[in-house]
Amino acid sequence: MSRVSEILDQKGAMVLSVDINESVLDAISLMAQVNIGAVLVQQNDSIAGIFTERDYLQKIALQSRSSPDTKVGDVMTSPVISAEPGDSIQQCMETMTTCHCRHLPVVDNGKLLGIVSIGDLVKKMLDEKQNEVEKLSQYITGTY
């Protein structure tokens, strides 16, 4: 089975983040601008948390809090659940299922390498299954 590092090799390592003291409005504006569902929250040069669409709904919209007046650090999810580059796609799926999260930063020895989403994992699994079907079809028809 594939490793999460293979996904990062394909999609790249760009990770968007906001400072812990930025407003929620700044964070959701960035997320909307680049069409993503989560941003990492940094304090100095370390990961302090993650801010997701779910955080916005549960901690801002449903509580009638002000996006411009609330710091992202006050409503982020922390600590951040992460994966390592050698983790399998299956391990990451299990982690996401257990923690009810849709995004996993990938960290190696404290260094952020990238972030994967549930969509990235599902796409990789589907690509692998399609490849298996094609190989089996070639084997059956003798066209390998």
Side-chain angles (χ1 to χ4, degrees):
M1 176 155 288
S2 294
R3 303 283 169 206
V4 73
S5 60
E6 295 173 34
I7 294 175
L8 292 180
D9 290 343
Q10 292 175 347
K11 77 178 265 187
M14 186 183 87
V15 178
L16 295 177
S17 64
V18 295
D19 185 79
I20 197 167
N21 293 312
E22 288 188 53
S23 73
V24 168
L25 182 61
D26 291 337
I28 60 173
S29 295
L30 175 62
M31 292 163 61
Q33 181 182 1
V34 293
N35 197 29
I36 57 174
V39 290
L40 289 180
V41 181
Q42 294 195 313
Q43 185 172 27
N44 302 320
D45 287 330
S46 63
I47 300 170
I50 189 168
F51 181 73
T52 67
E53 295 165 324
R54 187 177 294 163
D55 290 323
Y56 180 79
L57 288 173
Q58 293 175 350
K59 300 172 186 173
I60 300 295
L62 290 177
Q63 294 182 14
S64 300
R65 293 174 82 168
S66 169
S67 297
D69 298 329
T70 305
K71 291 181 181 181
V72 73
D74 294 337
V75 291
M76 68 185 179
T77 298
S78 182
V80 177
I81 308 293
S82 62
E84 295 181 359
D87 289 350
S88 70
I89 304 302
Q90 183 66 34
Q91 286 173 299
C92 291
M93 297 277 288
E94 289 171 8
T95 298
M96 288 178 162
T97 300
T98 301
C99 75
H100 303 287
C101 62
R102 297 178 184 179
H103 303 87
L104 281 179
V106 181
V107 179
D108 188 24
N109 294 320
K111 181 181 178 200
L112 178 65
L113 302 179
I115 191 167
V116 293
S117 69
I118 190 76
D120 296 330
L121 300 177
V122 169
K123 181 182 182 314
K124 183 68 172 173
M125 289 179 70
L126 289 173
D127 289 347
E128 286 180 352
K129 295 303 176 194
Q130 180 63 36
N131 192 25
E132 286 178 28
V133 168
E134 289 173 8
K135 285 182 179 178
L136 286 171
S137 293
Q138 290 173 353
Y139 178 77
I140 290 169
T141 61
T143 59
Y144 53 97

